[in-house]
Amino acid sequence: MSSVLTIRGGVPLTGRVSVRGAKNLVPKAMVAALLGNEPSVLRNVPEIKDVEVVTSLLQLHGVTVVKDPLSGDLTLDPKAAKTAPSTAIDAHAGDSRIPILLCGPLIHAIGEAFIPDLGGCKIGDRPIDYHLNVLRQFGAVVEKRPGGIHISAPKGLHGAKINLPYPSVGATEQVLLSATRAEGITELSGAATEPEIIDLIAVLQKMGAIISVQTDRTIRIEGVRDLGGYNHRALSDRNESASWASAALVTRGDIFVEGASQRDMMTFLNTYRKVGGGMDIGEDGIRFYHRGGKLNPLVLETDVHPGFMTDWQQPLVVALTQADGVSIVHETVYENRFGFTDALIRMGASIQVHRECLGSVPCRFGQRNFLHSAVISGPTQLKGADIDVPDLRGGFSHLIAALAASGTSRVTGIDIINRGYERFTEKLSGLGADFDITSTK
Ligand code: EPZ
C-alpha cells in the first residue's frame, strides 16, 4: 500500500511543529544498548521508519524493546541476546544502512554477525569499505556470503590504531561501537565529530565506556570488559529542523520549530541569515520566517561538521530557486546528491549541475565525472508537476517545492519520507498546507 499526495500550492506554511530525537542518533543509541549487560532507556524517540527497522533487527537478536505508549520512550533489554537465523535478518535487507553498525555489538555479544546487503538513500554508491577495514583491524574475519556479509572474531576484538581516509560518520560509529569493549586501547584519527557522534559518545560514557575526543579530531577509546545500561534523552533532529526552516522560506511562511537547537545548527543559522531568512532563537526552539523582501543568492559548500551539513543542502536549494540572482552549491560529501533537481527543473527552476568543483577547494569528486556542483538562478516561478520522491531529503525538498508552486502537484513515493520525518503529513496539515492523501494498491 503506498500513498499519493495531491498538493495545491501557493499557501504559506505558518504555525508550529515539534521536532524530536535525531534520526541519525536514535537508531545508533538503540544498537549501543546491545553492548550493555543491563537494560537501557532511550527518551525523545521519534516515530520514524528507521526506528522500527532497528527495533525489529534487535528483537531478532533477542533484545526486548518496549515502547512507552505515551512518551514513546524505549526500554531495551539485551540480556537474552542470541544469534538470529540469517534468513530472518534478510527480511530487513534494503530498509536502512544501520544494520552494518550491529557488527561490533553482535560480535561482543555472540561472537558473530550476519549483515544483509544495505539500503539507505540512493545518493551515491554508499560503500562500506571503511567499516569492513575497521572491523578487520579489530581482528574480525569478514566473509562475503550470498545476500550479505558474515563477520566473526573467534578471539574477540582487540584495540587498534585507525586512521579514516575520510571523516565518515558511519565508520566513526563502527569504531565507537566496536572499540568500547575491545581488548586494549583504540586511537581513531580523522574521525567524524558531528553532534550525533558526540551524543553517541555520551550514551556510551553513561554505560561505562572511557572515550575522549581530542583537539585534532582524534578519538581515544580505552576498552573495558563490561558495560552497563544508559538512560539518555536523544538530541533533537537538526536536519528536520533545517528542513522546516527552508520550508518557511520557500513558501514565504513563518514556522516555530519546537526543539530546534541553536548549538547544533550554528552554521545553518549563519547561512539562513545570509540568504535573508528571519529567525528568533529561543530556549525551547527557533522561529523561522520569510521577512517579505528578496532572498539573497549565495555560494555554498557542504562539508563535515562543523561545516554546512550535506543533509541541509537539498531543502535549501529549493529556497535558492527563489533568491534574486545566481547561487552555487558545491556538494563535497556525496558524489551524486543533485538528482532531486530534475523535478525542480520540470517545475520551472533554473538549475544546472556540473562535474567541476565549483567551490573554494577541489574535493574528492573533482575530475571523476560526478555532477556534484549546482548553479541555481532565481527567482523562478515554480509550477505544479507530477513528482516521484527519489530519497529522504530530496523528497522533502520536492514537497516544499510543490507547496510553493502555483497549481497542483501529484507526489508519489512519499513513504520514503516517513524514514526520517515524524508524522510529516500531520505537521503539514497543522501548518495550513492544502493537500489530499490517497492510498493506492
Ligand atoms: C550518515 O550517513 C547519515 N546517515 C547521513 O544522513 C549523512 O548525510 C552522513 O552521515 C554525513 O553526515 C545516518 O546517520 C543514518 P558517511 P553515513 O559514512 O554514515 C563515504 C540523511 O539524509 N564512505 O559519513 O552513511 C560515503 O560514500 C542521511 O539523514 C565511504 O567511501 O555517511 C560518503 O561519500 C543521508 N566508505 C562519505 O564517506 C565507507 O565505508 C560520507 O559518508 C563509508 C562512507
Side-chain angles (χ1 to χ4, degrees):
M1 176 84 82
S2 60
S3 314
V4 179
L5 281 195
T6 303
I7 294 175
R8 289 167 290 277
V11 178
L13 295 183
T14 56
R16 184 186 185 98
V17 294
S18 167
V19 168
R20 292 205 294 173
K23 166 186 97 69
N24 293 347
L25 176 273
V26 164
K28 290 74 172 279
M30 293 171 70
V31 169
L34 191 52
L35 285 166
N37 48 28
E38 288 158 10
S40 291
V41 175
L42 185 55
R43 289 173 284 117
N44 200 26
V45 177
E47 280 180 29
I48 54 174
K49 183 99 183 311
D50 272 15
V51 170
E52 291 167 23
V53 168
V54 176
T55 298
S56 306
L57 281 170
L58 289 174
Q59 287 170 336
L60 283 169
H61 288 279
V63 178
T64 57
V65 183
V66 177
K67 178 176 167 183
D68 180 296
L70 286 180
S71 64
D73 294 356
L74 299 180
T75 300
L76 305 107
D77 188 343
K79 266 202 291 300
K82 62 186 185 310
T83 183
S86 51
T87 45
I89 297 181
D90 281 354
H92 294 273
D95 282 315
S96 146
R97 284 179 62 77
I98 309 290
I100 189 71
L101 297 177
L102 278 164
C103 297
L106 282 178
I107 290 170
H108 285 304
I110 54 177
E112 64 174 334
F114 177 83
I115 304 299
D117 292 332
L118 296 179
C121 297
K122 299 288 174 274
I123 50 178
D125 66 6
R126 310 290 291 274
I128 55 170
D129 51 325
Y130 301 167
H131 293 257
L132 301 180
N133 292 339
V134 155
L135 288 163
R136 289 187 185 99
Q137 293 181 72
F138 279 117
V141 175
V142 178
E143 293 167 86
K144 182 72 184 91
R145 290 194 180 162
I149 299 167
H150 182 263
I151 300 159
S152 59
K155 300 196 195 76
L157 299 178
H158 56 72
K161 192 169 171 56
I162 298 169
N163 175 53
L164 288 181
Y166 183 81
S168 151
V169 166
T172 302
E173 293 163 340
Q174 185 72 249
V175 171
L176 291 171
L177 292 167
S178 300
T180 41
R181 279 185 47 196
E183 178 72 33
I185 305 278
T186 294
E187 197 169 275
L188 170 63
S189 52
T193 57
E194 270 69 7
E196 293 78 18
I197 294 283
I198 306 301
D199 215 40
L200 179 60
I201 291 173
V203 164
L204 292 165
Q205 187 178 53
K206 286 176 175 169
M207 298 174 80
I210 301 169
I211 304 172
S212 58
V213 182
Q214 288 150 10
T215 51
D216 57 353
R217 208 186 268 276
T218 296
I219 297 181
R220 194 172 188 280
I221 302 120
E222 297 177 33
V224 294
R225 272 185 56 77
D226 294 308
L227 291 173
Y230 63 78
N231 188 317
H232 186 77
R233 185 177 194 281
L235 82 170
S236 73
D237 195 315
R238 61 196 175 111
N239 294 339
E240 181 178 352
S241 299
S243 299
W244 291 115
S246 295
L249 276 193
V250 169
T251 65
R252 305 180 71 82
D254 186 329
I255 302 175
F256 180 77
V257 182
E258 183 187 358
S261 156
Q262 177 189 9
R263 183 203 54 196
D264 299 336
M265 298 179 76
M266 307 285 275
T267 305
F268 178 82
L269 299 177
N270 288 339
T271 301
Y272 198 80
R273 203 181 292 279
K274 283 194 278 188
V275 170
M279 68 181 88
D280 295 335
I281 300 172
E283 296 313 312
D284 59 345
I286 301 176
R287 175 192 169 214
F288 295 102
Y289 58 95
H290 191 291
R291 296 190 316 171
K294 291 181 176 172
L295 295 183
N296 312 313
L298 50 69
V299 179
L300 183 66
E301 192 158 74
T302 66
D303 204 341
V304 296
H305 188 72
F308 191 90
M309 171 84 181
T310 173
D311 299 346
W312 293 335
Q313 63 94 336
Q314 291 167 303
L316 194 79
V317 161
V318 187
L320 295 177
T321 68
Q322 306 306 306
D324 211 61
V326 179
S327 298
I328 297 173
V329 179
H330 180 212
E331 169 58 60
T332 71
V333 177
Y334 288 108
E335 65 273 29
N336 183 18
R337 204 164 192 183
F338 285 122
F340 77 105
T341 59
D342 294 345
L344 300 183
I345 293 164
R346 280 195 293 115
M347 297 174 80
S350 170
I351 303 175
Q352 285 95 22
V353 289
H354 297 273
R355 288 177 179 74
E356 287 70 24
C357 296
L358 300 184
S360 48
V361 291
C363 78
R364 298 169 295 146
F365 306 128
Q367 316 312 326
R368 286 178 53 199
N369 233 7
F370 293 119
L371 296 168
H372 71 294
S373 292
V375 178
I376 303 120
S377 309
T380 52
Q381 172 58 50
L382 299 177
K383 293 178 295 306
D386 284 358
I387 298 166
D388 188 43
V389 162
D391 59 61
L392 177 65
R393 305 297 173 194
F396 191 91
S397 307
H398 289 160
L399 281 184
I400 60 178
L403 288 162
S406 59
T408 301
S409 298
R410 194 172 174 281
V411 185
T412 52
I414 60 166
D415 298 336
I416 295 178
I417 302 177
N418 288 315
R419 281 195 47 217
Y421 291 93
E422 181 180 36
R423 300 168 180 253
F424 74 93
T425 51
E426 288 174 32
K427 290 177 181 174
L428 286 177
S429 293
L431 292 170
D434 180 7
F435 66 96
D436 301 316
I437 302 181
T438 45
S439 297
T440 59
K441 298 278 174 291

